[in-house]
Amino acid sequence: MSRAEHPVHLVAGLVVWMLWFVVLYGLLSVGCAVAPPGPGQGIWNWINASLWLISLVVVVGLALAGWWCWRAAIVSDESHARFMTRVSAAIYGLSAAATLAVALPVLFYPPCV
Amino acid sequence: MTEPSRQDRQELHRRFEAVWSNWPGLGTLAAVNHTSIGLRFMVTGVFFFLVGGVLAMLARTQLALPEQDILSPEIYNQVFTMHGTVMMFLFAIPVLEGLALYMIPKLIGARDLVFPRISSLGYYCYLFGGLIILSSLFLGMAPDSGWFMYTPLSSAEYAPGPGSDFWLLGITFVEISAMAAGIELTVSILRSRAPGMSLRHMPIFCWYILAMALMIVFGFPPLILASVLLELERAAGIPFFAVGGGGDPILWQHLFWLFGHPEVYIIFLPAAAIVSTLIPVFSQRPIIGYRWLVLAIILTGFISFGLWVHHMFTVGIPKLAQAFFSVASMIVAIPTAIQVFAWLATLWTGRVVFRLPMLWIFGFLFIFVCGGLTGVMLALVPFNWQVHDTHFVVAHLHYVVVGGMLFPLIAGFYYWLPHFSGRMPTPVLGAWGFWLTFLGFNATFLLMHLTGLLGMPRRVYTYEAGLGWDWLNLLSSVGGFVMAAGIAMVLLDVVLHFRFGRPAGRNPWNADTLEWATGTPPTSYNFASLPDLPTRHPLWESPQLMDSIPEGRHRLTSIDHGRRETFGTDAVTGRLKEVIHLPSNSWWPLLAACSLAVVCVSLLIRMYPLALVGLAGAAVFLLRWSWENGAHPGAAPFTGPETDDPPLHSRTCDGPGLWGMWVTMMANGTLFLSLIFGWLYSWTAAPEWQVPADSHVSIGLLLASGALLTVVTLGYDRLVTALCRGRAEGLFGRLAGLLVLAVAHWLLLLLAVLGSDLDVTAYAHDGLILVMLLYLLFHSSLATVLLGLQLTRVRLGYIGTELPYEPVVLRPFWLYLLAVFWISLGIFFWLPLAWVGGS
Amino acid sequence: MLWWGMAGAFTLVWIFMVVLWLVAVRRDPGEVDDAAAERLQTRWIVGGGLVLPLVAIIAILIPGIPIGHGMLPTADDDVLKIEVTGHQWWWEVHYPDTGLTLEDEVHMPAGVPVHIHLRSADVIHSFWVPRLAGKLDAIPGHENVLKLEADEPGSYRGACAEFCGALHAHMGFVVHVHTVNDFEAWLEGAAEDD
C-alpha cells in the first residue's frame, strides 16, 4: 500500500481544517479578552494579522497535500488506490478552499466588536 | 431446483434457527438480534412520533385564531417544549438508529452487529428514558423551557418544578442508546464487512451510516456534559451557568449547539442514505458519482461541526467571529448540492420506474431544497438578526427536518415494507396518504415563512388580532390537520397491508443490495453462508446469490458448535482476518437498563441513597455481562490447541472489542474536551469569574497518585505487548503487582478528592475542579476494578498466550486514563498559575 | 429590496430543481454507456454541486458584508444612550442622561442612530422592533449594544423574541419615534413630570 492511499488522508484535511477553525475562534476570543486592539485600528491590528497569517499557512499546506494525493491518483493503476487517492485529493482541495473562504472575513471586519 | 437441495436448505435453516432465534414468550425480552432490536427501535419511534404529532396539533389548535385560551400559557409552553423534545430525541434519532441497526449487517453480508448485547441495552435505555420523559406530560409537570433548555430559564430559580429535571435526566438516559448505536455501528461497518468488500465496495448507505455513527460519537458528548452540569446546578447548587457564582448562561448555549447543529446532520445523513439507496433502484442503474457522494458525506460530517454559533448570532458575539460561522454555514450547502445533483444525474440517465416510494422521494426533493435555500439565507447575519426566533425559523427548520428526514424515512418504510412483512403496500391508499401529507405540510409551513417575515415571534402561546397574522395562522392550522390526516392514511395503509397486501416474493423492486437475499421477512441469522462480496451491486451482478446463500454454498456454514459467528475483516481492504463469535440471548442488558432507570427516577425524586443502590446494581450487571466473554464457558471456551483459519477473534490481538474500546475512548475524550472547553471558556468569558483565594486541593497527593498511575500503565502496556508476542512468564504475579500499585494510585486519588477543600456552591471555579476530580476518580475506579477482573480471569485460564485478547482490549482504557490525568493536572492547576502569573 | 432579490433568485433555483427532477423522471435516456455517464457526472456535479452554490454564496455575500458593517454600533460618544433592562415580563427603559425611567415604551428621535444598551434582570430576553432593526439578546451578566435608527416618526411595535417563560407572548412594547425637535420637547416635559 503506497502512503497516499492510506485511509487517514480521507479525513486528515478536514481534521486540519477543524483544528484551524478552533485556533481561529479561540485566538480571536482569547485575544479580545487579553489584549484587545483599539477600536480605531480597523483591520490593521495584531489579531487580524496573525489570524490571516495562520490561515495562509494552513491553506498552502492543505493545497500541497492535495496536489501530492492527486499526483499519486494519476499514476496509480489499481482501482482501490485510485479511489482512495482521488477522494483524498478532493478532500484536501476542498479543505483548503473552505479554509480560504472562512478566513475571508478577516480582511473585512475588525476583531472585537 | 432439485428436491434434495431444497431439503438440505431446510435442514440448514433449522440448524441455524436453533442457534440464532430469540427465546419464546417473555424470553423475547432477552433478544439481542439486530433484526428484532432494529424493529423494536422503529416501532417505538413511530409511537413517539404520534405523541409528538398530537402535541403539534394541540399547538396548532391554540394558534388557529388570535387570542384563544384553549391552552393556558403554562400548558402551551409544556406542549411546544415536549413536541420538540419528543420529535428530536425520541423519534428522529432513535427511528433512524433502528433502521441502521436493522439494515447494516444485511448490507455488508454479516449475521449480526458486533456488539449484540449493546443493541439490547441501547433499546431499553431508549424505551425507559422515553417513558420517563413522557410520564412528565401526564403528571402535568413536563419541561417548559423550550427544547433547547436555555438557562437561566431552565434553572432552579426560574423553573423550580421537576420539569427541567425530567428533561435533563431523561434525555441523558436516552442518549446512552444513541452513544451505544454510534459505537456499535462504527465498529460493525469497519470490521465485519463481507470478505472482499473494501471501502470502495461498500453500498453508499454504509458510508452515510458510518458518518452518522461517528458524528454521534463526537456530537453527543457536549450535550451529555452540559446536561450533567445543569442538573448538578439545579440539584446541588453549583453555579456553572449562574452569573453570580462565576458561571455564564452562554456556556450552556455553546455546549448545546455544539451538539445541536451536528444533530441536524445526524438525522439528515441516514435519510439521505435512504434516498441514495432508492434512487438507483428505481432508476435501474448504479448511482452516478459514488466517489463524489463519499466526498460529500465526509465533508458534511466535518463541516457541520463548525456551524454551531449560527444559532447564537443574536447573543452579542463579535462580528468577525459571527462571520466565520456565517461563511461556514454557507459552504455546508456545497456537499448537499453535490448530493442533490448526483441524485438528479442518476434519474436523468436511468429509466425510471415510478412507484410509491418515489412519490415520497419527490416530496423530499421539493421540500428539502426549499429548506436548504432558506438555510443559506439564514446564514447571512443581517438577515438572521431579522428573522431569528420568528416563525420564519420555525418554517425553515420544519422544511429541513420534515423534508430532509420524515419524507425519506417514509419512502424507506414503503420500500422496505415487503422486507419487514413479506407483503407489498397498496398503491391507491398510499398515494392518498402522500398527497394529503405533502399538501398539508406545504400549506402549514410555506405560509409560515411569511408569518415570520411579518414579525410573529416563535413560542408565543397567543397573539393579538389585526397584525396581519390571523389568516396565515388559520391556514397553517388547517394545513396541519390535513397533514395529520395524511399520516393517518399512511398508518392505515401499513396496517391494512399486513392483511390485504399481495405477497412480495423475492426482491420485489429488483434491488442491487444484499438485504433482499436474507428472505422476506428475513431469517434471524440473515445468511446461512457468507459469500465474498467485492462489489457494490451484488444482486445485480450475481442474482444467483439469492439461492446460493441459503443453500450454504459459501463459507462459515458450520453451526454444530452452537455459537453465533460472523466474519471479521480488515477495515480498509475487507481482507478476511478472523471469525467473530457473538453472544446469544441475554438478560444482562435488560437488568442493567432497569437499574439505570432506578437511578434516573431516584435522582428525579431526589432519593439519593436509592440512586446509589441503582448504580451499584447497574455496575454489577454490566460487569457480570462483561464476564461472559472470550473463553468463558458461555462464550467460546478454549478446548486445547486450535488450528482454525481464520482464528476466533478472542484468540487474536485485534478484534472488534479493541475497536469498540478506541471508539468509546474517542467519545469519552470528546466529553473530556468539552469539560476543558467549559473551564477555559469560563476563565476567559464568564462575566463575574472569580478565583477563590482559599480553595485547596493537595497537589502533592495528585502528583503521587499520577506517578503510580504512570508506572501501572507503562507496566501494563509492556505486559500486554509481551503477551501478544506469546510470552506470558509470571503473568499472574506481574498482573497482581500492577493491581497493588493501581489500588494505591486509586487510594491516593480518593484521599485527594476527599481531602480537598472546595466551596462548590459559591464558585463555578471550584465546581468545575470538583467535576474534573470526580471524572478522574470514576475512571480510576473502573480501570482498577477491570484490572482485578483480568487477574481473576488469568487464574481461571480465560487469559493466556493463546487467549491474549482481553488485556489488549483493556489497554486503551489505561492509556486514556493516564493521558486525561496529566492533561487535567496541567490545564486545571498549572495553566491558571501561568495565566495569573503573567497578567 | 435585497431580501426580495434574494428570495426571488432562490425561488427560481427552487423551481428549476423541481422541473429538472420532473423531466429527469419522465425522459427516456436511451442507452447510456459508462463513458457518457462519467462525462455527465462531472458536468452535473461540478456545475450544480460546486459552481451553483459558490455563485449563490458570493452573490449574497457581496451585499451582505457591507450591510453587516453598517449594523455595527458607531464609535461616537455623543450618540443618545438608552438603557433597556428585560424583566419577566416587562421592559424597563432608562435614560441615563436625564434619569428618566419608563415601562414598556421607548422614545427616540428620528434620523439619528440611538444606542440601546441591553441587560437582563432575570432570564434571557431579546429586544426586537421588526420594522427598525434586527434583534439582540438581553442576557444576565452581559451588556449588548444595539444600534437603532428610524427614518420616519411614528409608533413601532416591539416584542420579546427569545422565549422567556409563561407570559413571553405579552412582553410587547412600543417605540415612539419623534422628530428631533419634538423629541427634545418630550424629553424636557417628561423630565419635569418625573
Side-chain angles (χ1 to χ4, degrees), chain B residues 73 144 158 243 248 253 292 314-315 319 330 340 347-351 362 366 385-386 388-390 459 461 687, chain C residues 14 17 21 24 27-28 40-41 71-72 122 128 130 133 135 137 140-142 144 161-163 166 168 170:
Chain B
D144 59 358
Y158 298 103
V243 175
D248 189 355
Q253 300 192 15
W292 285 96
T314 64
V315 302
K319 261 293 167 3
M330 290 178 190
V340 169
L347 291 167
W348 190 265
T349 46
R351 203 168 269 119
F362 166 71
F366 183 93
W385 279 28
Q386 191 56 36
H388 178 72
D389 272 337
T390 69
R459 299 179 166 184
Y461 80 98
Chain C
W14 186 27
M17 303 283 285
W21 196 89
R27 77 190 274 277
D28 178 2
L40 188 99
Q41 158 188 334
M71 291 167 75
L72 294 177
D122 37 50
W128 186 34
K135 56 187 73 63
D137 292 354
H142 295 258
N144 281 329
E162 181 64 55
F163 177 64
H168 165 61
H170 297 302

Side-chain angles (χ1 to χ4, degrees), chain B residues 104 111 120 156 311 691 791 807 825:
Chain B
I104 284 297
R111 288 189 180 136
S120 170
H311 297 268
V691 181
L791 189 67
L825 255 53

Side-chain angles (χ1 to χ4, degrees), chain B residues 179 183 217 657 659-670 816:
Chain B
M179 295 304 300
I183 292 163
V217 165
W659 287 65
M661 180 60 87
W662 276 115
V663 178
T664 310
M665 289 308 111
M666 286 189 226
N668 198 348
T670 316
Y816 176 81

Side-chain angles (χ1 to χ4, degrees), chain B residues 344-367:
Chain B
L344 283 170
T346 308
L347 291 167
W348 190 265
T349 46
R351 203 168 269 119
V352 178
V353 188
F354 205 87
R355 306 285 288 273
L356 187 55
M358 281 302 274
L359 260 182
W360 290 91
I361 298 287
F362 166 71
F364 152 76
L365 182 106
F366 183 93
I367 294 170

Side-chain angles (χ1 to χ4, degrees), chain C residues 33-98:
Chain C
D33 60 30
D34 284 353
E38 184 79 10
R39 277 197 305 279
L40 188 99
Q41 158 188 334
T42 315
R43 217 175 301 142
W44 281 53
I45 292 177
V46 170
L50 292 175
V51 176
L52 181 75
L54 271 179
V55 169
I57 290 170
I58 292 168
I60 64 173
L61 277 181
I62 286 173
I65 286 179
I67 293 179
H69 245 293
M71 291 167 75
L72 294 177
T74 34
D76 284 352
D77 290 335
D78 52 336
V79 176
L80 175 66
K81 176 178 172 186
I82 306 175
E83 291 173 359
V84 173
T85 308
H87 295 260
Q88 277 180 325
W89 291 272
W90 58 283
W91 298 95
E92 179 189 338
V93 181
H94 180 71
Y95 292 76
D97 299 339
T98 54

Side-chain angles (χ1 to χ4, degrees), chain B residues 455-532:
Chain B
M456 181 164 169
R458 71 193 284 197
R459 299 179 166 184
V460 290
Y461 80 98
T462 191
Y463 52 95
E464 286 171 43
L467 295 170
W469 308 340
D470 310 17
W471 64 279
L472 289 166
N473 274 297
L474 182 61
L475 285 178
S476 281
S477 293
V478 172
F481 281 96
V482 173
M483 181 176 169
I487 297 291
M489 207 76 93
V490 172
L491 285 175
L492 185 67
D493 188 23
V494 172
V495 171
L496 288 182
H497 107 285
F498 282 102
R499 179 83 177 75
F500 299 108
R502 70 183 164 76
R506 306 194 306 178
N507 199 359
W509 315 107
N510 187 24
D512 58 334
T513 42
L514 205 62
E515 80 271 27
W516 297 101
T518 60
T520 47
T523 56
S524 55
Y525 49 86
N526 292 343
F527 310 104
S529 59
L530 300 182
D532 286 11

